[in-house]
Amino acid sequence: MTGIGRSVRAQWALLALVPVCITAPATHAAWRTVASAGLHDTRVAEADSDTLGVNLGLGLFYAGAANLSGQTGIIAHYDNDIDQLDPDHDPFWVMANGSLSQPIVSLDHAGVTLGWQAEVSWLQNTVSGVEEALQAQLGIVLDYQRQADAVGLAMGGGYYGLEFDDDVPEARGYSREALQRSSDALAWKLFFQRSVKTALSWDGYWQQWRDQDNWLENRLFLAIHYPVVHPVMNSLNVSVSYTRYNLAPYRVQGKAPILPWDENVLFRLYAEIPLAW
């Protein structure tokens, strides 16, 4: 199987750790580490397929001087792959992300903040046929916050890379060279956060990536968090992530689409476990 420039991928994988490597003096920084464990289901409706599995995650959060904040995390998944959408699917797959942000202008009386943000996300080897996806973005964020409730818009530009696994596309007449595309891209994200009765909270976003001519990917995400009093874990959580890819740029005239489906939904039920190092 090929990759989106292995050396490039390695560089961006290191960049995903930047939020936890750029630090203010230790006396001004606050760190928080959280582990997670849970179950998941990848739903591909066009194939009437559900793939159940288990997952483990680790997240690191940082808040430093001058309101500089960052986070990075990785989640490893193991699938019980019964449907075999990809005949040669490795049941182990991972996703990772990192971000770093800082406000530039704050209007405290109005609850409005304008700042900058850098983000990197990466995933590999999904059951729905994505061999690798890598996105990196630098942009501005406009945020309105009132107590624990917030809504905002992030806009920026960066890099977008996507590669499909070779098994299903080759059966449809596509060569390995046709499986991979990467380009400069623009991205916007509308995000929100809401607390209900100080106990239940939820957050989410709607994000789109575009090149000069087309949309590349749409993603909707929603997570609900319920705090619990327990000696080990501190919350129970459920998240839903819907992703749709634009397959038109990959299509070769006279052939079927590169994949029989263009969307998937990832459900995750998990507990968060605070760690004290």
Side-chain angles (χ1 to χ4, degrees):
M1 298 180 182
T2 60
I4 303 175
R6 298 304 180 186
S7 61
V8 174
R9 188 186 72 187
Q11 294 172 15
W12 283 115
L14 289 175
L15 182 58
L17 300 178
V18 166
V20 299
C21 296
I22 299 178
T23 67
T27 54
H28 299 289
W31 299 83
R32 181 167 61 93
T33 309
V34 177
S36 64
L39 308 173
H40 67 267
D41 173 29
T42 301
R43 172 70 178 167
V44 180
E46 291 160 293
D48 193 23
S49 170
D50 287 280
T51 303
L52 303 178
V54 296
N55 57 78
L56 295 173
L58 181 66
L60 188 57
F61 302 83
Y62 165 79
N67 293 319
L68 182 68
S69 63
Q71 67 180 48
T72 187
I74 185 168
I75 305 173
H77 305 74
Y78 184 84
D79 291 334
N80 180 24
D81 189 3
I82 297 176
D83 294 335
Q84 296 290 314
L85 300 181
D86 176 354
D88 192 32
H89 174 61
D90 185 339
F92 179 79
W93 63 282
V94 295
M95 62 170 55
N97 65 80
S99 68
L100 187 67
S101 62
Q102 187 176 38
I104 301 172
V105 178
S106 296
L107 304 177
D108 294 335
H109 63 283
V112 176
T113 301
L114 177 67
W116 64 268
Q117 183 179 66
E119 288 187 309
V120 178
S121 62
W122 172 72
L123 64 83
Q124 188 177 39
N125 195 41
T126 71
V127 71
S128 57
V130 175
E131 175 67 16
E132 187 172 26
L134 176 64
Q135 298 119 9
Q137 172 191 359
L138 177 63
I140 60 172
V141 181
L142 182 63
D143 178 79
Y144 170 75
Q145 186 164 359
R146 183 175 181 181
Q147 297 179 356
D149 302 334
V151 63
L153 176 65
M155 300 186 67
Y159 171 88
Y160 181 92
L162 178 64
E163 180 186 358
F164 294 111
D165 185 79
D166 56 345
D167 293 299
V168 176
E170 282 188 344
R172 292 177 158 236
Y174 288 83
S175 65
R176 286 176 177 265
E177 292 74 20
L179 306 180
Q180 175 186 321
R181 287 182 178 268
S182 61
S183 66
D184 298 332
L186 301 175
W188 58 264
K189 177 190 286 186
L190 178 65
F191 59 89
F192 46 88
Q193 173 182 305
R194 175 75 177 175
S195 295
V196 181
K197 296 182 179 179
T198 70
L200 188 71
S201 64
W202 53 270
D203 58 81
Y205 62 83
W206 175 19
Q207 184 176 35
Q208 184 179 84
W209 285 88
R210 303 186 61 89
D211 62 14
Q212 294 181 351
D213 302 315
N214 303 292
W215 67 272
L216 301 171
E217 178 182 321
N218 281 308
R219 178 171 298 174
L220 294 171
F221 176 84
L222 176 65
I224 301 174
H225 316 279
Y226 183 75
V228 295
V229 179
H230 190 275
V232 176
M233 62 181 176
N234 63 2
S235 66
L236 288 173
N237 313 269
V238 60
S239 67
V240 182
S241 179
Y242 166 82
T243 305
R244 184 178 182 188
Y245 301 101
N246 184 4
L247 302 184
Y250 296 84
R251 188 162 188 175
V252 175
Q253 187 173 4
K255 296 182 180 180
I258 195 168
L259 287 176
W261 49 81
D262 62 1
E263 60 186 16
N264 64 77
V265 181
L266 176 63
F267 300 91
R268 186 171 177 238
L269 174 64
Y270 60 99
E272 286 193 339
I273 305 162
L275 301 177
W277 299 92

